[in-house]
Amino acid sequence: MSPALPPEDAFAGPFPLASLDGPEPFEERLERWRKELSDAIYGPLPPAPAELEVEASPLRGSPAERIEITMRSANCTRDLVVDAALWRPESRGDAPLIAGLGFAGPAGILPGPDFPLDTRARIHCGPELGVENGRLHDVLRGTESHRWPVGMLTARGYAVMVSCYGSWAPDDPDEIMTHGAYPFAGLDTGAISLWAWAIQRLLDTAELLGGIDMAQVAVAGHSRLGKAALWAAANDTRIGAVLANNSGCAGAAPAGHAVGETLDQMAAAFPHWIRPRGGAAALDQHHLIACAAPRKVYVASAEQDLWVDPAGSYLALVAASEVWPETCSWPGIEEMWTGARQTRHVALGHHLRPGGHELLPYDWQRFQEFLGEVRA
Ligand code: GCU
């Protein structure tokens, strides 16, 4: 069967991505881009909580542990308590970590009934799943196990930590104000920043738990959680690798490429996600990717998922690669689309897979090849 030809709709012609050169030394340029992205799109990341404590307990009938994370603000006016699950590999010694937020969190991954459902979490979830008002519900148990194939990852020697994004910042324009990181931090910012902050707290948690090799930390996220993973990586150098799956608008997809969702459409549908305060129009998503340099970045797309602009996301990664010390050679866009579907360099990687908007074991196999197989 011949490979699918690029649909005309996917390309939309050449488009300018501003140069990443600048007058300042590289580190200062990165700082400026972070600040400008925060002003132009996401809003600020809250500071780390004054105190963070973790408690691990075994989970009945499962190799996972339940981790309770308690955070205290500087003025001690309120606590924030969120849970996560941790799967450890059998191998001895400190394990490399893959951490991230999931839509239904640990309950969505674990098949059994034992992980408690956070009744205050609010998640985005179609009514066809039988869930009302975005609440976590028993019917969601195990429905996301294909998105986080923890058995496959622990067998390869990784520890995996996942938490429910809606526990950290409810995915709802009203509820976000009353529960989670927004009222805890007392800072007017967007949900993508709050989810990025949540990813940072998972790393604080990993540091405290021990048994994790903090020099080998990857964070992964799908779609809106891919946006959050990229923004977290842009801001936290503990993240050694970011795996951004189908991250789209405000993720890897540049606004300057007229395919898929626009920032205005996103802000209209999800007004709580971003907090633009005006600012640098010359900045685009290749700046976001570049903020993770010289650490590892992998961008993954699917050919039918034009809403997240696979072609533009690839070109943003290619443009960003300029600032990495290694010289990368990338297939042209048409060649990538019709044949060279995966490209891997030491620190940068990309694939386009058949199919639509999902995070699948196929994507994880490619991610693992990129991270380098860790032996159990
Ligand atoms: C919507 C939204 C996207 C987002 C996606 C998701 O499609 O418009 O920006 O990435 O949801 O998170 O699944």
Side-chain angles (χ1 to χ4, degrees), residues 192-262:
I192 295 173
S193 273
L194 297 173
W195 295 325
W197 181 84
I199 292 168
Q200 294 185 292
R201 305 298 64 88
L202 294 184
L203 305 194
D204 300 345
T205 300
E207 276 168 359
L208 289 173
L209 286 170
I212 304 289
D213 179 356
M214 293 304 294
Q216 291 192 73
V217 171
V219 303
H222 170 58
S223 204
R224 68 199 69 188
L225 302 178
K227 309 180 203 302
L230 280 168
W231 184 225
N235 284 285
D236 196 324
T237 55
R238 292 177 297 177
I239 297 169
V242 54
L243 312 168
N245 194 68
N246 306 179
S247 61
C249 179
H257 191 225
V259 171
E261 187 176 27
T262 65

